Amino acid sequence: MLTIAVSKGRIYEEALPLLASAGIRPVDDPKTSRKLILSTTREDIQLVIIRATDVPTFVEYGAADLGIAGKDVLLEYNSKGLYEPLDLGISRCRLMTAVPVGQQPVEGRIRVATKYVRTAKDYFARKGRQVEVIKLYGSMELAPLVGLADCIVDLVDTGNTLKANGLEPVDLIEDISSRLVVNKAAMKMKHAAIDELLQILERETKNNRSLEA
Ligand code: ATP
Ligand code: PRP
């Protein structure tokens, strides 16, 4: 049995067609079912539906053999304990800094609100900027509006959320997409099954890329 960890929501929805290309179709719909383990149309494959930020943990500890996680989550998790063999090209966006429109550059130490604490600290350290990072779990865009922070580090796709809150993107930290991650022991012990799946997903992502080009 192979267990694949996927987060509910955006990544799950975008991963469905990729999984379907390997004959993996969940039997229940996580939107309506309370089940956390989903059987699929492949008897040898099940899905576990978890929070996006928990996917690398489940995979590193072998609770899932494979997982689908955003590069943003993987950067923040920052572990060498799992393989990241494939960029699936889904849930694409950018991890950026953003500030209120027209804000004068802040001298000295800046306050940064984000859920990506480690990634933000590393980024500003590379730039030689002194920062105080304030950890939030969501609605980062609110922080500069209420005086909690000078700047945020968050995901930007269309830019609509920033715009609606009077913010503008400044620096690109990383281009983000979802990646397939694999448990290291499973890669050895279940090599044939994982390799077969990897090849199908690789072919499918290549096809999708050439359709986009
Ligand atoms: P959690 O439920 O753990 O709080 P979340 O609310 O961040 O997670 P989603 O919003 O579904 O969960 O985001 C999951 C992943 O989708 C992110 O880690 C990122 O890789 C990607 N993502 C998030 N926002 C966007 C967006 N606007 N456009 C494209 N991809 C995005
Ligand atoms: C993500 C992200 C931004 C928004 C960016 O939030 O945290 O707020 O998308 O997308 P945009 O540039 O297209 O507006 P999401 O929609 O996932 O909401 P949540 O993180 O609050 O669940």
Side-chain angles (χ1 to χ4, degrees):
M1 176 66 90
L2 280 184
T3 301
I4 308 177
V6 191
S7 58
K8 207 165 163 170
R10 177 181 279 117
I11 290 185
Y12 177 82
E13 297 298 332
E14 294 190 29
L16 278 179
L18 282 177
L19 294 170
S21 69
I24 307 166
R25 291 179 185 81
V27 171
D28 291 296
D29 178 354
K31 277 199 238 109
T32 50
S33 167
R34 299 291 298 166
K35 279 186 189 166
L36 298 174
I37 300 181
L38 301 185
S39 306
T40 74
T41 42
R42 275 188 53 171
E43 265 180 9
D44 57 336
I45 296 183
Q46 63 181 8
L47 304 182
V48 290
I49 305 297
I50 54 181
R51 292 286 293 264
T53 44
D54 288 335
V55 169
T57 310
F58 273 64
V59 175
E60 179 166 12
Y61 287 90
D65 302 299
L66 303 114
I68 299 178
K71 185 67 187 173
D72 51 323
V73 166
L74 296 171
L75 279 173
E76 188 64 16
Y77 187 72
N78 190 36
S79 167
K80 295 198 172 12
L82 27 81
Y83 293 123
E84 193 191 308
L86 187 59
D87 182 348
L88 296 169
I90 56 170
S91 298
R92 276 193 238 161
C93 52
R94 285 152 288 148
L95 185 65
M96 303 200 70
T97 63
V99 298
V101 174
Q103 175 175 276
Q104 294 302 310
V106 178
E107 300 293 327
R109 196 176 167 88
I110 40 176
R111 282 175 126 190
V112 181
T114 186
K115 65 175 169 186
Y116 304 100
V117 171
R118 184 203 299 266
T119 311
K121 281 186 180 160
D122 287 353
Y123 170 75
F124 285 104
R126 286 201 303 276
K127 300 256 294 183
R129 288 298 312 252
Q130 286 235 337
V131 289
E132 179 184 353
V133 177
I134 300 170
K135 165 89 184 179
L136 292 179
Y137 292 86
S139 304
M140 267 78 79
E141 292 87 356
L142 184 59
L145 310 183
V146 294
L148 181 59
D150 307 301
C151 167
I152 63 168
V153 167
D154 196 11
L155 300 173
V156 182
D157 178 20
T158 60
N160 289 342
T161 311
L162 290 183
K163 207 167 169 193
N165 292 291
L167 304 177
E168 60 186 359
V170 181
D171 288 326
L172 174 70
I173 300 179
E174 195 83 30
D175 283 310
I176 303 296
S177 55
S178 291
R179 312 297 164 99
L180 188 76
V181 287
V182 184
N183 173 267
K184 286 190 167 176
M187 190 69 124
K188 288 198 191 89
M189 310 287 286
K190 303 182 181 180
H191 185 76
I194 290 177
D195 198 48
E196 184 219 323
L197 188 57
L198 261 172
Q199 285 188 30
I200 295 171
L201 293 177
E202 197 166 2
R203 207 180 313 131
E204 195 64 16
T205 48
K206 261 194 199 143
N207 280 346
N208 290 346
R209 273 202 199 104
S210 53
L211 283 176
E212 277 172 26

